[in-house]
Amino acid sequence: MKSVTITLFPFLLVILANCFSFCDANSNVLCFESERKALLKFKNDLVDPSNRLSSWVEGGGCCKWLGVVCHNSTGHINQLHLAAPLSVAHFDAPVAEWEAYHRSKNNSLLGGKINPSLLELKHLSSLDLSNNNFSGIQIPKFFGLLESLSYLNLSQARFQGAIPHNLGNLSKLQYLDLGGNYLKPKSLQWVSGLSFLQYLDLSYADLRKATDWLLVTFQHPSLLELHLSACSLEDDPSPINVNSTKSLVVLDLSENSFSSVPTSIFGLQGLLSIDLSSNSLEGPIPDYFRNISFLEVLDLSGNSLNSSTPNSLFSLNHLQFLNLSSNEIDQDVSEILLSLSRCCLDCLESLDMAHNHLFGHLIDQLGHFKNLAHLSLAGNNISGPIPLSIGELSSLKFFDVSENQLNGTFPQCFGQLKSLETLDLGCNQLEGVVSETHFSNLTRLTTLAASQNRLRFQPNSSWILPFQCRIIKLGQWHLGPKFPRWLKFQKNLSVLDMSDAGISDILPTWFLNLSTQFEYLNLSYNQLTGGISHLNVREFVDLASNRFTGPLPRVFPTLKFLMLSHNSFSGPLFELVCNPLRKGPMECLSIKGNLLSGEIPDRWNHWRGLVYLNLENNNLTGKIPPSLGHLNLSVLNLRNNDMFGELPSTLQLSTSLIILDLSDNHFSGSVPTWIGDKLSKHEILSLRSNNFDGHIPQKICQLQSLRILDLGNNNISGSIPKCFSNLSAMANKSNQNSYMFQWSITLTNLFCMRTLLVLKGRVDEYSTTLGLVVSICLSTNRLVGEIPKELGSLVELQSLNLSRNLLIGNIPDEIGNMELESLDLSMNQLNGEIPSSFSNLNFINYFNVSYNNLTGRIPTSTQLQSFENLSYMSNHLCGPPLSKDCSTNSTPTDVANNGSRSEGSNVNWLYVSIVIGFVMGFWGVVAPLFFIRSWRNAYYQKLDHVGRKLYMSWATPGR
C-alpha cells in the first residue's frame, strides 16, 4: 500500500505558495548587499558539479537567484530552497527512467562545507538543503542560531554524527526534517525546547542510545506528525502514561524492532494514522486499537501477526487505509469483508491483506465498497470464482488477487472498471475464453498480469487494445497459433511475458522494430521460428525452447539476462562476446542446447559482472579460454561439447564458483589440486566422461561445501581418498548454509539453477530440488584398493556410485549406517559377504552389487529383497530375492582368506563334466577318421552318395 501522509499544517501551504511564486514575487525586490555577500561566501564553500548556482554572481540581484526567496515588502531573504531539483521516478517506472534519474541527481547534488555566513540572513525563516551530498560532515551547530527559522529540511543530505542540541533553541521552528541521514543522537531532550514544533522526522537516525525518545515525543505539547522509521527502536520496558488530549495525529514507527505494539500508543486517542509496518510484531492484533476511534490509516504489514483479526478492529468507523499484508493471519476472507462492510463501507479506500493465510471465497459484498481504489489479496489460499459484483467498484484502480486458487472464468464485468490501472490475476486456476469485451472500457490500464492460468484469447486480427500498457504478462495463456497483432499498437510496453502461449509462427519483423524499449521480454516455450537480427531489450530476454535459427542476435549493450537455450542458433560466439559497445555487466548468459560451433573467444575481460554461463549441448571446440577465469563466475557449464585440453589455471581465480560442469567433453590431464585450494564455495563438481587421468587429489577433501562430486567415466587411477570424510556438507545437515541454496533463491537467479546428474542408474535434470541432492560418482575409472570405511561418516550422502573399477576387499559395514537412496558397487572385485548392516538401508531404491565375488546370504530387510535378481547376478550369493537357498551345510567362508572358499570348493563339477563329455565325443568320432584310411574313405563315399540323392530329388521334383 502506498504510504499515506495526512497534512494538517496550514503553514506549509503558505511556504509552498511562496516557493512556487518566488520568481514573480522577487521581480521588483532589491537585494541587500550584506545578504548577497553572505550567499556568495556560502556558495564558495559548496561543491556544485552541475553548476546549479550559476546565477549566483557578483553584481546581480540576489532575489532573482535560483532557490532564493525574498520578502515582498522588506526585501530581506526569508527562504532558501536548494534541494536536489529532480522529482523521484515513479516506483514502477522503467529501469531507464530510474537510471536517468540517478545519473542526473548525482550530478546535481550540492556538497562541500556549509559556511556560517548564513547567520547574516537574519530574516531566514525557511531553509531546505535536502537530497544533497554533505557526506563526512555533521549538521552545523550554528544552525541553532538561525532564530527566525520556522522550516528546516535537511533530509537525505548524508549528514552524520550527533544532532546539535542547540537546535532546541529554534523557538519558532514548526517543521524539522532530519530523516535519511546517518545520525546518532544520544538524547532527544533538545526537542522539548521546540515549543511550536508540529512536524518531526528523524527516520534512519540511530536512536538506540536516545532512551528518552518516547517521553519527549509522545508528551510534546504541539507535535502533530512524528516519523521515526528505521531508528533501531525496541520494546520499552517502562511505557509511559500519555494524556489523551495530546495533539499527535500521525505516527510512523515502521522498520524498527518492536515485538509488540507499544501500549503508550493507545493513549493517543487523537491519532489519525499509525504505521508499524516492518517490525517484529508477534501474536494476535491487540484489541486496544478500538480506543483510537478516529483512526483513518493503519499499517501493520511486514510483521508476524497471527490468529484472526479482532472484532475491535472493525469498530473503526473512519478507517480509509488498512494494510495487514505479509503477516500470518489465518481467517476466512469472507468474514473480514463482511466485518469491514459493517464499519467502513463508505470510507474504505485501500485494503491490502496480501501474503497471509486467508482462505474461503470472495463474496458479493465486495462490490459494495464504492470508494475502494486499492485491493490486494495476493499470495493467499482464496478459492472459488471472482464475484460479478467486482464490476460495481467504480473507483477501483488497483486489483491484485494473484497467487491464490481462484477458479471459474475471467469475468466480463472487469470491462466496466473505467478507473482500473493495475489488474493482476496471475497464478490462479481461471479458465475459459477472454474476448475484447473484457477490456472494452479499460482505457487507463497500464498493467495487465494474468500469467499461469488456463485462458484463451484470440481477438479479431484487426482489434486494437483500448489502453496503452506498460506491463503485459499473459504467460501460459493460449494466444496462438499466430503471433498477436494487437501488440503492434502498444507504444509504452516495457514488460512482456507471452511464454508457453501456443504460438507457432514466424516472429514478425514489426515486433523487432517496435518503437518501445523493452525492459523484460519472455517468449519462451513457444514454437516461434525464423532468425533474429537484433533485440531491443535493456534488461532481460528469455527466448528459450523455441525454433529460432541463424546466427545469434545483436543485443542491447546494457542487457543483463540473455536466455536463448534449446533453439537452433548456429555459428560462432565471437560477435556476441567481443562486442565493443557492451555497457554494464551481463549477469546471466544461457545458450545451451543450440548448434553453436567454433571456439569460445578469449575476450571475456569486459564481462566482469557475469555470474552464470551455460553453453552446454553445443558443438563448441577448443580449449577453455583463460580470460573466463577472471570473471569470478558462480556457475560455469560447458557440458557435452567437443572441447579438449587441460583446465586453465586461471579458473582458480573464480573463487565464487559454486557449480562447475565440464562433463562429456575431451578434457585431459589430472584433476587440478587448486580446485580444493581456491574454490572454497564449490558445491557441484562434474568432470565425468572426459579423459582425466592421475589420482584424485587429496586437496579435494578441503571443499567443505561440496555436495555433488562426479568424476565418473575417466581414466583416474589410485585409491579413493580416506579424507573424503572431511567433506562436511556431505556429513552434516547444511542445506540452509548452502551457497547454492542462498544464491538460487534470489529473484534474478532462481530460473538459472538446473543441471544433469547421473543418479539411480539414469540421467535426470534437477532444478528446484538441486540444492537438496548429495552424491558421489567415481564409476568407470581404474580405481584400486579397498573402499574406505571413512565413507560411512557421510551420513547425508544420498547416492554413492563406485561401479566399474578395480576395487577389492570387503564392503565396509559403515556404509549400512548411511541414509543412501542409491548404491552401485557393481563390476568390481569385491569379496566377502554383504554386511548385515545393509538391512538398515531403509531409503534405498536403487541397489547394484552385480559382477563381484560376493558370497553368503543377502541380508533380510524391507528394501534389499525388493530388487530384481540382476542387482545380485554373477556373485555367489543366496537367499531372497534369489532362488538359490542358503543350506546349513553350504561351504563356509574362510575369513582368513578374505572370503575365499575352502580347498575343493573351487571345483565346479558341472563344468568339469561338460568338458569331459565334449572331449570324449569329439575325439571319439574325429580320431578314427583321422588315423584309419578305410574309415575315412567309407565316410566320404557315404557323404557323396547322400549328396547325389538330394540333388536328384531337387532337380526332378515332378517325376
PDB file of all heavy atoms in Angstrom, residues 809-817 823 825 830-841 847 849 854-855 857-861 864 877:
ATOM      1  N   GLY A 809      38.491 -56.333  -1.714  1.00  0.00           N
ATOM      2  CA  GLY A 809      38.231 -56.402  -0.287  1.00  0.00           C
ATOM      3  C   GLY A 809      36.759 -56.473   0.038  1.00  0.00           C
ATOM      4  O   GLY A 809      35.893 -56.603  -0.829  1.00  0.00           O
ATOM      5  N   ASN A 810      36.466 -56.386   1.319  1.00  0.00           N
ATOM      6  CA  ASN A 810      35.090 -56.458   1.800  1.00  0.00           C
ATOM      7  C   ASN A 810      34.404 -55.102   1.704  1.00  0.00           C
ATOM      8  O   ASN A 810      35.051 -54.049   1.730  1.00  0.00           O
ATOM      9  CB  ASN A 810      35.069 -56.935   3.254  1.00  0.00           C
ATOM     10  CG  ASN A 810      35.584 -58.349   3.380  1.00  0.00           C
ATOM     11  OD1 ASN A 810      35.645 -59.089   2.410  1.00  0.00           O
ATOM     12  ND2 ASN A 810      35.958 -58.725   4.597  1.00  0.00           N
ATOM     13  N   ILE A 811      33.093 -55.135   1.646  1.00  0.00           N
ATOM     14  CA  ILE A 811      32.307 -53.897   1.713  1.00  0.00           C
ATOM     15  C   ILE A 811      32.265 -53.439   3.169  1.00  0.00           C
ATOM     16  O   ILE A 811      31.895 -54.214   4.052  1.00  0.00           O
ATOM     17  CB  ILE A 811      30.879 -54.132   1.194  1.00  0.00           C
ATOM     18  CG1 ILE A 811      30.905 -54.629  -0.244  1.00  0.00           C
ATOM     19  CG2 ILE A 811      30.058 -52.848   1.294  1.00  0.00           C
ATOM     20  CD1 ILE A 811      29.536 -55.019  -0.777  1.00  0.00           C
ATOM     21  N   PRO A 812      32.648 -52.188   3.467  1.00  0.00           N
ATOM     22  CA  PRO A 812      32.663 -51.725   4.873  1.00  0.00           C
ATOM     23  C   PRO A 812      31.277 -51.779   5.505  1.00  0.00           C
ATOM     24  O   PRO A 812      30.277 -51.396   4.881  1.00  0.00           O
ATOM     25  CB  PRO A 812      33.175 -50.286   4.764  1.00  0.00           C
ATOM     26  CG  PRO A 812      33.877 -50.205   3.453  1.00  0.00           C
ATOM     27  CD  PRO A 812      33.153 -51.148   2.538  1.00  0.00           C
ATOM     28  N   ASP A 813      31.224 -52.227   6.747  1.00  0.00           N
ATOM     29  CA  ASP A 813      29.959 -52.242   7.493  1.00  0.00           C
ATOM     30  C   ASP A 813      29.367 -50.854   7.613  1.00  0.00           C
ATOM     31  O   ASP A 813      28.137 -50.684   7.660  1.00  0.00           O
ATOM     32  CB  ASP A 813      30.181 -52.821   8.892  1.00  0.00           C
ATOM     33  CG  ASP A 813      30.462 -54.324   8.853  1.00  0.00           C
ATOM     34  OD1 ASP A 813      30.149 -54.944   7.816  1.00  0.00           O
ATOM     35  OD2 ASP A 813      30.985 -54.849   9.854  1.00  0.00           O
ATOM     36  N   GLU A 814      30.238 -49.838   7.696  1.00  0.00           N
ATOM     37  CA  GLU A 814      29.779 -48.467   7.964  1.00  0.00           C
ATOM     38  C   GLU A 814      28.819 -47.947   6.887  1.00  0.00           C
ATOM     39  O   GLU A 814      27.994 -47.062   7.150  1.00  0.00           O
ATOM     40  CB  GLU A 814      30.978 -47.525   8.083  1.00  0.00           C
ATOM     41  CG  GLU A 814      31.820 -47.699   9.346  1.00  0.00           C
ATOM     42  CD  GLU A 814      32.759 -48.880   9.279  1.00  0.00           C
ATOM     43  OE1 GLU A 814      32.798 -49.548   8.213  1.00  0.00           O
ATOM     44  OE2 GLU A 814      33.456 -49.142  10.274  1.00  0.00           O
ATOM     45  N   ILE A 815      28.930 -48.464   5.664  1.00  0.00           N
ATOM     46  CA  ILE A 815      28.051 -47.986   4.592  1.00  0.00           C
ATOM     47  C   ILE A 815      26.587 -48.307   4.918  1.00  0.00           C
ATOM     48  O   ILE A 815      25.680 -47.559   4.542  1.00  0.00           O
ATOM     49  CB  ILE A 815      28.481 -48.603   3.247  1.00  0.00           C
ATOM     50  CG1 ILE A 815      29.839 -48.006   2.837  1.00  0.00           C
ATOM     51  CG2 ILE A 815      27.446 -48.362   2.152  1.00  0.00           C
ATOM     52  CD1 ILE A 815      30.361 -48.520   1.525  1.00  0.00           C
ATOM     53  N   GLY A 816      26.350 -49.370   5.647  1.00  0.00           N
ATOM     54  CA  GLY A 816      24.986 -49.725   6.009  1.00  0.00           C
ATOM     55  C   GLY A 816      24.345 -48.763   6.974  1.00  0.00           C
ATOM     56  O   GLY A 816      23.124 -48.806   7.178  1.00  0.00           O
ATOM     57  N   ASN A 817      25.132 -47.889   7.608  1.00  0.00           N
ATOM     58  CA  ASN A 817      24.585 -46.919   8.566  1.00  0.00           C
ATOM     59  C   ASN A 817      24.269 -45.580   7.919  1.00  0.00           C
ATOM     60  O   ASN A 817      23.870 -44.643   8.611  1.00  0.00           O
ATOM     61  CB  ASN A 817      25.575 -46.723   9.719  1.00  0.00           C
ATOM     62  CG  ASN A 817      25.819 -48.009  10.482  1.00  0.00           C
ATOM     63  OD1 ASN A 817      24.895 -48.803  10.686  1.00  0.00           O
ATOM     64  ND2 ASN A 817      27.064 -48.236  10.903  1.00  0.00           N
ATOM     65  N   LEU A 823      22.879 -46.978  -4.345  1.00  0.00           N
ATOM     66  CA  LEU A 823      24.207 -47.535  -4.101  1.00  0.00           C
ATOM     67  C   LEU A 823      24.551 -48.483  -5.236  1.00  0.00           C
ATOM     68  O   LEU A 823      23.832 -49.455  -5.490  1.00  0.00           O
ATOM     69  CB  LEU A 823      24.251 -48.279  -2.761  1.00  0.00           C
ATOM     70  CG  LEU A 823      25.570 -48.994  -2.439  1.00  0.00           C
ATOM     71  CD1 LEU A 823      26.718 -47.989  -2.339  1.00  0.00           C
ATOM     72  CD2 LEU A 823      25.445 -49.790  -1.149  1.00  0.00           C
ATOM     73  N   LEU A 825      27.827 -50.676  -6.535  1.00  0.00           N
ATOM     74  CA  LEU A 825      29.188 -51.193  -6.355  1.00  0.00           C
ATOM     75  C   LEU A 825      29.491 -52.266  -7.394  1.00  0.00           C
ATOM     76  O   LEU A 825      30.440 -53.046  -7.232  1.00  0.00           O
ATOM     77  CB  LEU A 825      29.337 -51.771  -4.948  1.00  0.00           C
ATOM     78  CG  LEU A 825      29.022 -50.839  -3.776  1.00  0.00           C
ATOM     79  CD1 LEU A 825      29.144 -51.579  -2.457  1.00  0.00           C
ATOM     80  CD2 LEU A 825      29.932 -49.626  -3.785  1.00  0.00           C
ATOM     81  N   LEU A 830      35.091 -57.048  -5.477  1.00  0.00           N
ATOM     82  CA  LEU A 830      34.780 -57.111  -4.052  1.00  0.00           C
ATOM     83  C   LEU A 830      34.448 -58.550  -3.655  1.00  0.00           C
ATOM     84  O   LEU A 830      33.861 -59.312  -4.438  1.00  0.00           O
ATOM     85  CB  LEU A 830      33.595 -56.193  -3.739  1.00  0.00           C
ATOM     86  CG  LEU A 830      33.795 -54.711  -4.097  1.00  0.00           C
ATOM     87  CD1 LEU A 830      32.494 -53.948  -3.929  1.00  0.00           C
ATOM     88  CD2 LEU A 830      34.891 -54.093  -3.252  1.00  0.00           C
ATOM     89  N   ASN A 831      34.808 -58.904  -2.439  1.00  0.00           N
ATOM     90  CA  ASN A 831      34.512 -60.247  -1.957  1.00  0.00           C
ATOM     91  C   ASN A 831      33.937 -60.183  -0.548  1.00  0.00           C
ATOM     92  O   ASN A 831      33.649 -59.115  -0.028  1.00  0.00           O
ATOM     93  CB  ASN A 831      35.760 -61.137  -2.019  1.00  0.00           C
ATOM     94  CG  ASN A 831      36.948 -60.474  -1.337  1.00  0.00           C
ATOM     95  OD1 ASN A 831      36.795 -59.806  -0.320  1.00  0.00           O
ATOM     96  ND2 ASN A 831      38.139 -60.663  -1.901  1.00  0.00           N
ATOM     97  N   GLY A 832      33.738 -61.341   0.056  1.00  0.00           N
ATOM     98  CA  GLY A 832      33.113 -61.391   1.374  1.00  0.00           C
ATOM     99  C   GLY A 832      31.609 -61.313   1.262  1.00  0.00           C
ATOM    100  O   GLY A 832      31.020 -61.405   0.182  1.00  0.00           O
ATOM    101  N   GLU A 833      30.964 -61.130   2.384  1.00  0.00           N
ATOM    102  CA  GLU A 833      29.505 -61.075   2.425  1.00  0.00           C
ATOM    103  C   GLU A 833      29.012 -59.640   2.359  1.00  0.00           C
ATOM    104  O   GLU A 833      29.747 -58.697   2.659  1.00  0.00           O
ATOM    105  CB  GLU A 833      28.998 -61.728   3.714  1.00  0.00           C
ATOM    106  CG  GLU A 833      29.334 -63.202   3.826  1.00  0.00           C
ATOM    107  CD  GLU A 833      28.738 -63.831   5.069  1.00  0.00           C
ATOM    108  OE1 GLU A 833      28.221 -63.067   5.920  1.00  0.00           O
ATOM    109  OE2 GLU A 833      28.768 -65.059   5.192  1.00  0.00           O
ATOM    110  N   ILE A 834      27.747 -59.494   1.957  1.00  0.00           N
ATOM    111  CA  ILE A 834      27.095 -58.181   2.081  1.00  0.00           C
ATOM    112  C   ILE A 834      26.883 -57.923   3.566  1.00  0.00           C
ATOM    113  O   ILE A 834      26.277 -58.748   4.254  1.00  0.00           O
ATOM    114  CB  ILE A 834      25.755 -58.168   1.332  1.00  0.00           C
ATOM    115  CG1 ILE A 834      25.974 -58.412  -0.159  1.00  0.00           C
ATOM    116  CG2 ILE A 834      25.033 -56.845   1.545  1.00  0.00           C
ATOM    117  CD1 ILE A 834      24.698 -58.494  -0.960  1.00  0.00           C
ATOM    118  N   PRO A 835      27.388 -56.791   4.108  1.00  0.00           N
ATOM    119  CA  PRO A 835      27.280 -56.552   5.554  1.00  0.00           C
ATOM    120  C   PRO A 835      25.833 -56.619   6.046  1.00  0.00           C
ATOM    121  O   PRO A 835      24.911 -56.159   5.370  1.00  0.00           O
ATOM    122  CB  PRO A 835      27.866 -55.151   5.725  1.00  0.00           C
ATOM    123  CG  PRO A 835      28.750 -54.952   4.539  1.00  0.00           C
ATOM    124  CD  PRO A 835      28.101 -55.691   3.422  1.00  0.00           C
ATOM    125  N   SER A 836      25.665 -57.189   7.217  1.00  0.00           N
ATOM    126  CA  SER A 836      24.319 -57.275   7.804  1.00  0.00           C
ATOM    127  C   SER A 836      23.734 -55.901   8.073  1.00  0.00           C
ATOM    128  O   SER A 836      22.511 -55.736   8.131  1.00  0.00           O
ATOM    129  CB  SER A 836      24.366 -58.093   9.097  1.00  0.00           C
ATOM    130  OG  SER A 836      25.260 -57.483  10.042  1.00  0.00           O
ATOM    131  N   SER A 837      24.615 -54.883   8.227  1.00  0.00           N
ATOM    132  CA  SER A 837      24.133 -53.518   8.470  1.00  0.00           C
ATOM    133  C   SER A 837      23.330 -52.970   7.290  1.00  0.00           C
ATOM    134  O   SER A 837      22.599 -51.991   7.434  1.00  0.00           O
ATOM    135  CB  SER A 837      25.311 -52.583   8.768  1.00  0.00           C
ATOM    136  OG  SER A 837      26.196 -52.527   7.658  1.00  0.00           O
ATOM    137  N   PHE A 838      23.439 -53.614   6.099  1.00  0.00           N
ATOM    138  CA  PHE A 838      22.688 -53.148   4.940  1.00  0.00           C
ATOM    139  C   PHE A 838      21.186 -53.322   5.128  1.00  0.00           C
ATOM    140  O   PHE A 838      20.398 -52.737   4.385  1.00  0.00           O
ATOM    141  CB  PHE A 838      23.149 -53.899   3.684  1.00  0.00           C
ATOM    142  CG  PHE A 838      24.342 -53.269   3.011  1.00  0.00           C
ATOM    143  CD1 PHE A 838      25.351 -52.662   3.756  1.00  0.00           C
ATOM    144  CD2 PHE A 838      24.477 -53.275   1.630  1.00  0.00           C
ATOM    145  CE1 PHE A 838      26.448 -52.089   3.150  1.00  0.00           C
ATOM    146  CE2 PHE A 838      25.568 -52.703   1.004  1.00  0.00           C
ATOM    147  CZ  PHE A 838      26.565 -52.101   1.761  1.00  0.00           C
ATOM    148  N   SER A 839      20.804 -54.111   6.114  1.00  0.00           N
ATOM    149  CA  SER A 839      19.372 -54.223   6.399  1.00  0.00           C
ATOM    150  C   SER A 839      18.807 -52.920   6.957  1.00  0.00           C
ATOM    151  O   SER A 839      17.589 -52.750   7.030  1.00  0.00           O
ATOM    152  CB  SER A 839      19.115 -55.365   7.388  1.00  0.00           C
ATOM    153  OG  SER A 839      19.805 -55.112   8.619  1.00  0.00           O
ATOM    154  N   ASN A 840      19.706 -51.974   7.334  1.00  0.00           N
ATOM    155  CA  ASN A 840      19.265 -50.669   7.850  1.00  0.00           C
ATOM    156  C   ASN A 840      19.065 -49.641   6.746  1.00  0.00           C
ATOM    157  O   ASN A 840      18.686 -48.502   7.021  1.00  0.00           O
ATOM    158  CB  ASN A 840      20.286 -50.130   8.850  1.00  0.00           C
ATOM    159  CG  ASN A 840      20.440 -51.020  10.056  1.00  0.00           C
ATOM    160  OD1 ASN A 840      19.460 -51.617  10.531  1.00  0.00           O
ATOM    161  ND2 ASN A 840      21.664 -51.145  10.570  1.00  0.00           N
ATOM    162  N   LEU A 841      19.346 -50.001   5.490  1.00  0.00           N
ATOM    163  CA  LEU A 841      19.201 -49.053   4.380  1.00  0.00           C
ATOM    164  C   LEU A 841      17.719 -48.951   4.007  1.00  0.00           C
ATOM    165  O   LEU A 841      17.265 -49.487   2.995  1.00  0.00           O
ATOM    166  CB  LEU A 841      20.043 -49.503   3.189  1.00  0.00           C
ATOM    167  CG  LEU A 841      21.566 -49.513   3.402  1.00  0.00           C
ATOM    168  CD1 LEU A 841      22.271 -50.103   2.191  1.00  0.00           C
ATOM    169  CD2 LEU A 841      22.077 -48.100   3.679  1.00  0.00           C
ATOM    170  N   PHE A 847      19.890 -50.333  -6.110  1.00  0.00           N
ATOM    171  CA  PHE A 847      20.941 -51.109  -5.461  1.00  0.00           C
ATOM    172  C   PHE A 847      21.519 -52.085  -6.480  1.00  0.00           C
ATOM    173  O   PHE A 847      20.781 -52.807  -7.162  1.00  0.00           O
ATOM    174  CB  PHE A 847      20.346 -51.878  -4.266  1.00  0.00           C
ATOM    175  CG  PHE A 847      21.347 -52.671  -3.482  1.00  0.00           C
ATOM    176  CD1 PHE A 847      22.247 -52.040  -2.642  1.00  0.00           C
ATOM    177  CD2 PHE A 847      21.388 -54.057  -3.582  1.00  0.00           C
ATOM    178  CE1 PHE A 847      23.161 -52.770  -1.906  1.00  0.00           C
ATOM    179  CE2 PHE A 847      22.308 -54.796  -2.853  1.00  0.00           C
ATOM    180  CZ  PHE A 847      23.201 -54.140  -2.009  1.00  0.00           C
ATOM    181  N   VAL A 849      25.045 -54.696  -6.804  1.00  0.00           N
ATOM    182  CA  VAL A 849      26.353 -55.225  -6.418  1.00  0.00           C
ATOM    183  C   VAL A 849      26.761 -56.354  -7.369  1.00  0.00           C
ATOM    184  O   VAL A 849      27.570 -57.214  -7.023  1.00  0.00           O
ATOM    185  CB  VAL A 849      26.332 -55.733  -4.960  1.00  0.00           C
ATOM    186  CG1 VAL A 849      26.173 -54.589  -3.986  1.00  0.00           C
ATOM    187  CG2 VAL A 849      25.230 -56.776  -4.776  1.00  0.00           C
ATOM    188  N   LEU A 854      31.087 -61.654  -4.320  1.00  0.00           N
ATOM    189  CA  LEU A 854      30.414 -61.660  -3.026  1.00  0.00           C
ATOM    190  C   LEU A 854      29.819 -63.037  -2.738  1.00  0.00           C
ATOM    191  O   LEU A 854      29.369 -63.743  -3.651  1.00  0.00           O
ATOM    192  CB  LEU A 854      29.319 -60.594  -3.010  1.00  0.00           C
ATOM    193  CG  LEU A 854      29.812 -59.148  -3.219  1.00  0.00           C
ATOM    194  CD1 LEU A 854      28.627 -58.198  -3.342  1.00  0.00           C
ATOM    195  CD2 LEU A 854      30.735 -58.722  -2.085  1.00  0.00           C
ATOM    196  N   THR A 855      29.781 -63.386  -1.472  1.00  0.00           N
ATOM    197  CA  THR A 855      29.301 -64.705  -1.046  1.00  0.00           C
ATOM    198  C   THR A 855      28.309 -64.558   0.094  1.00  0.00           C
ATOM    199  O   THR A 855      28.141 -63.492   0.680  1.00  0.00           O
ATOM    200  CB  THR A 855      30.478 -65.571  -0.579  1.00  0.00           C
ATOM    201  OG1 THR A 855      31.116 -64.933   0.531  1.00  0.00           O
ATOM    202  CG2 THR A 855      31.485 -65.776  -1.688  1.00  0.00           C
ATOM    203  N   ARG A 857      24.671 -65.117   2.460  1.00  0.00           N
ATOM    204  CA  ARG A 857      23.260 -64.780   2.433  1.00  0.00           C
ATOM    205  C   ARG A 857      23.062 -63.276   2.248  1.00  0.00           C
ATOM    206  O   ARG A 857      23.778 -62.459   2.813  1.00  0.00           O
ATOM    207  CB  ARG A 857      22.602 -65.224   3.739  1.00  0.00           C
ATOM    208  CG  ARG A 857      21.090 -64.936   3.829  1.00  0.00           C
ATOM    209  CD  ARG A 857      20.569 -65.253   5.213  1.00  0.00           C
ATOM    210  NE  ARG A 857      20.718 -66.670   5.520  1.00  0.00           N
ATOM    211  CZ  ARG A 857      19.808 -67.585   5.208  1.00  0.00           C
ATOM    212  NH1 ARG A 857      18.698 -67.241   4.568  1.00  0.00           N
ATOM    213  NH2 ARG A 857      20.007 -68.847   5.526  1.00  0.00           N
ATOM    214  N   ILE A 858      22.063 -62.896   1.460  1.00  0.00           N
ATOM    215  CA  ILE A 858      21.678 -61.489   1.315  1.00  0.00           C
ATOM    216  C   ILE A 858      20.920 -61.083   2.571  1.00  0.00           C
ATOM    217  O   ILE A 858      19.950 -61.741   2.963  1.00  0.00           O
ATOM    218  CB  ILE A 858      20.788 -61.291   0.077  1.00  0.00           C
ATOM    219  CG1 ILE A 858      21.560 -61.673  -1.203  1.00  0.00           C
ATOM    220  CG2 ILE A 858      20.289 -59.851  -0.017  1.00  0.00           C
ATOM    221  CD1 ILE A 858      20.708 -61.674  -2.449  1.00  0.00           C
ATOM    222  N   PRO A 859      21.347 -60.012   3.252  1.00  0.00           N
ATOM    223  CA  PRO A 859      20.673 -59.600   4.489  1.00  0.00           C
ATOM    224  C   PRO A 859      19.188 -59.354   4.265  1.00  0.00           C
ATOM    225  O   PRO A 859      18.771 -58.867   3.210  1.00  0.00           O
ATOM    226  CB  PRO A 859      21.404 -58.313   4.881  1.00  0.00           C
ATOM    227  CG  PRO A 859      22.735 -58.411   4.207  1.00  0.00           C
ATOM    228  CD  PRO A 859      22.496 -59.148   2.929  1.00  0.00           C
ATOM    229  N   THR A 860      18.420 -59.662   5.256  1.00  0.00           N
ATOM    230  CA  THR A 860      16.972 -59.508   5.164  1.00  0.00           C
ATOM    231  C   THR A 860      16.571 -58.096   5.587  1.00  0.00           C
ATOM    232  O   THR A 860      16.965 -57.607   6.649  1.00  0.00           O
ATOM    233  CB  THR A 860      16.265 -60.531   6.059  1.00  0.00           C
ATOM    234  OG1 THR A 860      16.671 -61.844   5.661  1.00  0.00           O
ATOM    235  CG2 THR A 860      14.753 -60.400   5.938  1.00  0.00           C
ATOM    236  N   SER A 861      15.791 -57.437   4.723  1.00  0.00           N
ATOM    237  CA  SER A 861      15.268 -56.098   5.048  1.00  0.00           C
ATOM    238  C   SER A 861      14.056 -55.848   4.177  1.00  0.00           C
ATOM    239  O   SER A 861      13.718 -56.649   3.295  1.00  0.00           O
ATOM    240  CB  SER A 861      16.331 -55.021   4.794  1.00  0.00           C
ATOM    241  OG  SER A 861      16.497 -54.792   3.411  1.00  0.00           O
ATOM    242  N   LEU A 864      16.095 -54.639   0.490  1.00  0.00           N
ATOM    243  CA  LEU A 864      17.020 -55.443  -0.306  1.00  0.00           C
ATOM    244  C   LEU A 864      16.313 -56.567  -1.049  1.00  0.00           C
ATOM    245  O   LEU A 864      16.747 -56.989  -2.119  1.00  0.00           O
ATOM    246  CB  LEU A 864      18.119 -56.014   0.588  1.00  0.00           C
ATOM    247  CG  LEU A 864      19.059 -54.984   1.234  1.00  0.00           C
ATOM    248  CD1 LEU A 864      20.128 -55.685   2.053  1.00  0.00           C
ATOM    249  CD2 LEU A 864      19.700 -54.100   0.178  1.00  0.00           C
ATOM    250  N   LEU A 877      25.951 -65.447  -4.135  1.00  0.00           N
ATOM    251  CA  LEU A 877      25.006 -65.084  -3.083  1.00  0.00           C
ATOM    252  C   LEU A 877      23.831 -66.041  -3.065  1.00  0.00           C
ATOM    253  O   LEU A 877      23.523 -66.718  -4.065  1.00  0.00           O
ATOM    254  CB  LEU A 877      24.519 -63.649  -3.311  1.00  0.00           C
ATOM    255  CG  LEU A 877      25.601 -62.560  -3.264  1.00  0.00           C
ATOM    256  CD1 LEU A 877      25.056 -61.248  -3.800  1.00  0.00           C
ATOM    257  CD2 LEU A 877      26.115 -62.392  -1.843  1.00  0.00           C
TER     258      LEU A 877
END
